[in-house]
Every structure is written in structure tokens, then in C-alpha cells.
């Protein structure tokens, strides 16, 4: 009896062992097919798992070039020191290797609101050289541009040909607007632009005597939608562009901006690239 029970128990153990082998074999075959499927599909299963893991990882981001707005890299200004002495230097181009140009706007006879919108929408810094009479006629217009970060610099009192003036008359024209602008715009002008670009040897001396650090001319002009660069060719880093508050200013700003971007340049604030000595 005992012998028969032992035989039955041994038989049961053999059947259990055989069943275990069959189960292991089935699992192994299924795993093999999963592996084959991952390989033949280019590793899609593993790739999907990694993608899912990346999406779940804190701080991870996905960038789509089709929906990403281009950004502009911020370039720190590298200011150029203005020479000291009794004569203000004449600057038509800032000697900088930074990919920047400078938009400057003179006079103020025409005050087009579209100009303010364009400057605001495109974040364009400008330097104004307005005539006091026009500022007094429409202070809100120039204040609006000033609020966008522009500065107001010296363009004389009445816009004369400075070559025809000397002594006290020259001094009055060059220096007479400084206190008024310091109060009106919150900053005393330290750059000066001669009307028409006309200069005599006395002008830079008179300018320096009342605190002007540099006389600013230009290397390029915008008129009627046409950009003219002295010496020809495209704009170069450091170029100063002359414009006027006229009916064509809104269009001129757009043409100048497109020309700058085509040359790999962008507008920058002139005051940030010149350092008063």
C-alpha cells in the first residue's frame, strides 16, 4: 500500500513538472515574438516608451519649428569712449563690430501717429534730433516716442546754417535748447546734430563748451523710400542712418529696417554705444 501511494505521488510530481515546462516555453515564445515585433517595426515600441518618459519628465519641453515664434538674441552693447578735450568729435559711424545700426530722426514738422505704432510694434530704438518749435507745437507726440525709450538730443534752436554764425550767435544756437530739453524730456542732451550737416571748425568747439560730447552726422540717409549709403554697398555695423519727421517717415522706417535685417543687422540705441568721457 505504501509502495502504491509513493508511485502515485511520484506521478503527480512528474505531471506538475511537465506543466511548468510547458508554461515556461509559452512565455518564452511570446517574449520572442514581442522582441521580433519591436525590431521589425524599427524599435517603435521602445521609442514610444522613451517618448512617453520624456513627456512625463518634469521640466522637459518640446519645440515645434512650425509654431515657434522667432526670437532675437540680446546683444550687450560695447560702448565706444568719446575723446575728451576742447573739441567735440564728429561721428558719422560708431566703430563697433556688433551687428547694429542706428536710426536717427530730425526736425519734427510732420507728426504721423503711424510712426509711433511702427516703432512700438517693432521695438525700434531711435534717437530724435527735434527742433524746439515743433516740440512746443505737439509735445505729446514727442513724449510718446520718448516713452518708447528714445532720447531727444540737440539740433539747434532754429535750424540755421551754422557755417554763417560765430561767437555768441553760434553759441546760442548750439547750446540754447539744452536746459529746455533737460526739463521737458528728463535728460540733458549730450549729442548734437548740425542742420543740413553743415559744419565749421567753430561748431565742435562751441558744442563742447556747453557740455555736448559728440557732434553726430550720418553715413546713410532715407528719403522717399530710398536708402542711400555713402560709398555704396549695404549697411555696415555701426552705421548711423538719417531720417526726418516727414510724410514718408513711416515707409522709410520699414525700408531701413528691412535693409538692416537683410544685412544681418538690427537697430540699436545710439546712446548705448557711446560713452561720454
Amino acid at each position: 500500500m505504501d509502495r502504491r501511494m509513493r508511485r502515485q505521488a511520484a506521478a503527480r510530481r512528474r505531471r506538475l513538472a511537465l506543466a511548468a515546462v510547458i508554461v515556461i516555453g509559452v512565455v518564452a515564445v511570446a517574449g520572442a515574438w514581442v522582441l521580433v515585433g519591436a525590431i521589425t517595426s524599427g524599435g517603435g515600441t521602445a521609442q514610444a516608451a522613451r517618448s512617453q518618459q520624456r513627456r512625463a519628465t518634469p521640466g522637459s519641453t518640446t519645440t515645434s519649428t512650425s509654431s515657434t515664434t522667432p526670437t532675437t538674441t540680446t546683444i550687450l552693447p560695447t560702448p565706444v569712449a568719446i575723446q575728451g578735450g576742447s573739441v567735440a568729435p564728429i561721428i558719422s559711424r560708431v566703430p563697433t563690430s556688433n551687428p547694429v545700426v542706428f536710426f536717427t530722426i530730425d526736425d519734427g514738422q510732420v507728426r504721423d501717429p503711424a510712426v509711433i505704432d511702427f516703432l512700438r510694434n517693432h521695438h525700434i530704438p531711435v534717437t530724435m534730433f527735434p527742433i524746439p518749435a515743433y516740440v512746443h507745437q505737439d509735445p505729446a507726440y514727442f513724449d510718446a516716442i520718448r516713452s518708447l525709450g528714445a532720447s531727444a538730443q540737440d539740433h539747434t534752436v532754429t535750424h540755421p546754417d551754422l557755417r554763417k554764425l560765430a561767437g555768441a550767435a553760434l553759441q546760442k544756437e548750439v547750446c540754447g535748447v539744452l536746459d529746455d530739453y533737460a526739463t521737458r524730456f528728463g535728460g540733458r542732451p549730450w549729442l548734437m546734430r548740425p542742420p543740413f550737416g553743415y559744419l565749421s571748425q567753430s561748431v565742435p568747439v562751441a558744442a563742447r563748451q556747453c557740455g555736448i560730447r559728440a557732434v553726430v552726422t550720418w553715413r546713410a540717409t532715407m528719403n522717399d523710400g530710398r536708402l542711400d549709403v555713402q560709398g555704396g554697398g549695404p549697411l555696415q555695423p555701426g552705421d548711423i542712418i538719417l531720417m526726418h519727421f516727414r510724410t514718408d517717415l513711416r515707409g522709410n522706417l520699414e525700408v531701413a529696417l528691412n535693409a538692416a535685417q537683410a544685412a544681418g543687422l538690427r537697430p540699436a540705441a545710439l546712446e548705448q554705444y557711446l560713452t561720454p568721457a
Side-chain angles (χ1 to χ4, degrees):
M1 181 67 181
D2 291 340
R3 218 175 315 158
R4 187 174 65 180
M5 292 178 63
R6 283 197 295 273
R7 285 197 300 270
Q8 291 174 348
R12 283 197 297 270
R13 285 196 296 272
R14 286 194 297 271
R15 287 195 297 271
L16 289 174
L18 178 60
V21 169
I22 293 172
V23 170
I24 292 172
V26 170
V27 172
V29 170
W33 279 111
V34 170
L35 179 60
V36 169
I39 294 173
T40 57
S41 63
T45 302
Q47 183 177 1
R50 287 193 296 269
S51 299
Q52 182 66 31
Q53 183 179 11
R54 282 197 298 269
R55 286 193 294 269
T57 302
S60 66
T61 58
T62 302
T63 302
S64 172
T65 55
S66 61
S67 61
T68 302
T69 301
T71 57
T72 302
T73 303
T74 301
I75 301 175
L76 295 178
T78 52
V80 176
I82 300 174
Q83 69 185 50
S86 60
V87 180
I90 301 169
I91 298 175
S92 61
R93 178 179 174 275
V94 177
T96 179
S97 60
N98 285 10
V100 295
V101 291
F102 307 102
F103 288 10
T104 64
I105 312 175
D106 285 12
D107 301 347
Q109 185 174 6
V110 177
R111 278 89 66 181
D112 181 2
V115 168
I116 299 175
D117 294 336
F118 189 83
L119 295 176
R120 179 188 298 112
N121 293 339
H122 294 274
H123 308 286
I124 299 175
V126 299
T127 301
M128 298 186 291
F129 291 92
I131 298 172
Y134 298 136
V135 173
H136 296 158
Q137 289 175 12
D138 194 355
Y141 183 83
F142 297 95
D143 286 342
I145 297 178
R146 176 70 179 85
S147 70
L148 298 177
S151 74
Q153 301 293 342
D154 182 8
H155 197 37
T156 73
V157 177
T158 65
H159 204 269
D161 181 349
L162 295 179
R163 299 173 299 179
K164 300 178 180 180
L165 301 178
L170 175 62
Q171 192 78 10
K172 181 179 179 179
E173 281 291 344
V174 172
C175 307
V177 75
L178 301 184
D179 291 338
D180 179 25
Y181 281 11
T183 301
R184 183 174 300 278
F185 294 109
R188 188 178 182 83
W190 53 278
L191 301 174
M192 179 260 175
R193 169 164 285 161
F196 317 106
Y198 294 161
L199 286 167
S200 67
Q201 291 183 347
S202 301
V203 172
V205 176
R208 182 55 66 88
Q209 287 174 349
C210 59
I212 296 296
R213 306 314 303 168
V215 174
V216 178
T217 56
W218 56 86
R219 187 174 175 271
T221 59
M222 279 296 321
N223 291 291
D224 299 321
R226 185 186 70 254
L227 174 67
D228 293 310
V229 181
Q230 295 175 11
L235 292 169
Q236 300 294 327
D239 280 352
I240 298 173
I241 305 173
L242 168 66
M243 305 182 207
H244 291 86
F245 286 102
R246 297 173 181 163
T247 56
D248 62 356
L249 178 55
R250 163 61 179 78
N252 287 340
L253 284 166
E254 184 170 0
V255 171
L257 179 60
N258 290 338
Q261 292 175 340
L265 309 170
R266 64 172 180 81
L270 178 61
E271 298 79 7
Q272 294 182 358
Y273 278 79
L274 297 173
T275 301

